[in-house]
Amino acid sequence: MSPPNAYERKKDPEGVRAAIIDAAMAVLADKGMSRLTIDGVASAAGVTKGGLFHHFPTKDTLIDGVLDSMTAHAAASVEAEMAADPEPHGRFTRAYLNGVFVQHCIRESVSSHALCLAMIADPILQDRWAAWVETQVRIHAATDDNVACRIVRLAADGIWLSTMRSKEGVADVSPDVRAALIAMTRASP
């Protein structure tokens, strides 16, 4: 029995969209933003260019889809970390810092480390990430918009940047430095 043709297959627009985003992430991670092409992503996703354009009418909307997926993944990780933290003061900043010390995979197919390498070289990706962080700080302003938390977030960004030198994407920070940064996020007595 032969596999169903395109007209007989059950439609799965969300699955196709996810496959396209996964393929775009893989291309970004492997080749960088400058070599991301519609043809390359369509081929990697196993869809036609028309199928890709149905979900993402332009390369910019495809990049937006990738960025939305990245930030949704980051938001879910931060929210899970925050839910497990009973102390409100500095909760977002602690979750943000702790996220630097965890190896992440996005959609279980692409390492966030590889995507972060692409982010370093691309101002569009950098601006999108910065906007997400700024939004989170505004949301958590009552607990995290203070000098100590800003210093810790800047340190977390520096630690994150240092992980880019490692193939494994692991932060090389001593436990006492990490503990000192965490302590800075807590309310002063």
Side-chain angles (χ1 to χ4, degrees):
M1 179 162 184
S2 64
N5 67 35
Y7 296 105
E8 296 170 343
R9 265 187 259 151
K10 183 178 177 187
K11 303 243 181 208
D12 181 15
E14 288 305 311
V16 171
R17 183 179 172 82
I20 293 168
I21 289 173
D22 284 351
M25 284 185 192
V27 170
L28 274 171
D30 188 43
K31 298 179 181 176
M33 181 72 82
S34 65
R35 296 186 58 203
L36 180 92
T37 65
I38 295 298
D39 287 332
V41 172
S43 176
V47 300
T48 64
K49 274 177 59 173
L52 186 146
F53 284 133
H54 174 75
H55 293 278
F56 301 100
T58 66
K59 183 176 174 179
D60 287 342
T61 58
L62 173 61
I63 292 167
D64 284 343
V66 169
L67 294 170
D68 289 344
S69 185
M70 288 173 66
T71 54
H73 177 78
S77 296
V78 166
E79 287 297 323
E81 181 84 22
M82 289 175 61
D85 185 343
E87 183 181 347
H89 185 83
R91 184 183 291 153
F92 166 74
T93 302
R94 282 189 297 282
Y96 185 77
L97 175 66
N98 287 334
V100 170
F101 293 94
V102 178
Q103 177 106 8
H104 297 285
C105 277
I106 298 175
R107 293 185 185 268
E108 302 175 9
S109 61
V110 177
S111 165
S112 64
H113 178 71
L115 285 169
C116 290
L117 285 171
M119 185 185 296
I120 289 172
D122 191 273
I124 294 169
L125 296 174
Q126 294 167 17
D127 290 347
R128 256 319 262 283
W129 179 255
W132 179 81
V133 173
E134 289 166 12
T135 298
Q136 295 305 306
V137 171
R138 276 194 305 277
I139 290 168
H140 303 290
T143 58
D144 288 77
D145 191 11
N146 57 68
V147 171
C149 285
R150 278 190 294 256
I151 290 169
V152 172
R153 287 191 302 275
L154 288 169
D157 290 344
I159 293 165
W160 169 81
L161 188 58
S162 76
T163 67
M164 296 302 112
R165 293 180 296 174
S166 162
K167 276 194 177 269
E168 298 81 32
V170 177
D172 184 22
V173 174
S174 66
D176 57 328
V177 169
R178 185 176 178 181
L181 290 169
I182 292 290
M184 289 176 66
T185 68
R186 305 218 183 269
S188 301

